Amino acid sequence: MNETTGELRARNLRTVGLLAALFFLPLALSFWLYYGTDWRPAGTVNHGELILPPRSLPQTSLPLYGGGATREAPFTRLWTLVYVGDGRCGESCRRALYVMRQTRLALHKDMVRVQGMFVATGACCAGDFLAREHPGLIVVDAGGGDAQAVLDAFPREEREHSIFVVDPLGNLMMRYDARSNPKGLLEDLERLLDLSHIG
């Protein structure tokens, strides 16, 4: 009788030990991989390029094409899609603005949480085209006022092919290649809007 009880207890302890190992070994392995090695997962869930660290944009009013100015801190309260380029708006500009417009429209009810902005760096601006194709687009004339400080915050390389995302706190946080599949920008924005309690 004692041998049977002892064997049963040993078998139960082995079972408990096996279950504990099944639970704790993956946990221990993940801690070791993360904290004990330089390995990091290569995949990310975002399609755009993160700007690290995020760049806080100057909280200042900016001159608008045609006169007037934006409100103070125009990059706050809403998510902002920004294109920075020459005001004549050539082919790459038109492609980027088209992607921005269509992405915003594809957000449906959440489109009111996103604004579009074109920061024109010179020869401002292709007014007839912008008014006809992009009503509601905020067009900043970077040739005046405090716009240069804002302009300097945006990366220069490949700028003419980039769409930038600014969060509702005024942080420049992501960039997208306007020549690539725009579905990635839409998916990232949908995810950001779902997770965000601001903007």
Side-chain angles (χ1 to χ4, degrees), residues 57-62 64 69-84 96-119 134-140 150 154 163-172 174 176 185 189 192-193 198-199:
L57 298 177
Q59 302 299 318
T60 182
S61 182
L62 300 171
L64 291 171
T70 65
R71 60 179 168 80
E72 282 292 321
F75 296 104
T76 58
R77 298 198 299 230
L78 296 172
W79 291 87
T80 308
L81 297 177
V82 182
Y83 177 74
V84 179
L97 294 182
Y98 173 80
V99 169
M100 284 170 49
R101 183 190 69 201
Q102 295 305 106
T103 299
R104 186 173 174 269
L105 290 172
L107 292 169
H108 304 295
K109 65 180 176 58
D110 279 334
M111 70 181 281
V112 295
R113 299 174 62 192
V114 179
Q115 64 183 350
M117 183 180 291
F118 174 27
V119 179
H134 301 283
L137 179 70
I138 301 166
V139 183
V140 172
V150 170
F154 288 86
I163 296 171
F164 298 95
V165 177
V166 180
D167 72 20
L169 299 176
N171 297 306
L172 174 59
M174 291 187 94
Y176 293 82
L185 172 60
L189 267 179
L192 286 168
L193 291 170
I198 55 174

Side-chain angles (χ1 to χ4, degrees), residues 10-76:
R11 192 168 3 125
N12 286 344
L13 286 174
R14 279 194 304 273
T15 303
V16 169
L18 182 60
L19 289 173
L22 285 173
F23 177 78
F24 286 110
L25 280 177
L27 190 61
L29 180 62
S30 64
F31 268 88
W32 176 76
L33 281 173
Y34 191 80
Y35 293 107
T37 69
D38 290 332
W39 178 83
R40 295 292 181 268
T44 58
V45 293
N46 57 290
H47 298 276
E49 172 192 340
L50 288 171
I51 296 176
L52 296 172
R55 302 176 185 183
S56 182
L57 298 177
Q59 302 299 318
T60 182
S61 182
L62 300 171
L64 291 171
Y65 164 67
T70 65
R71 60 179 168 80
E72 282 292 321
F75 296 104
T76 58

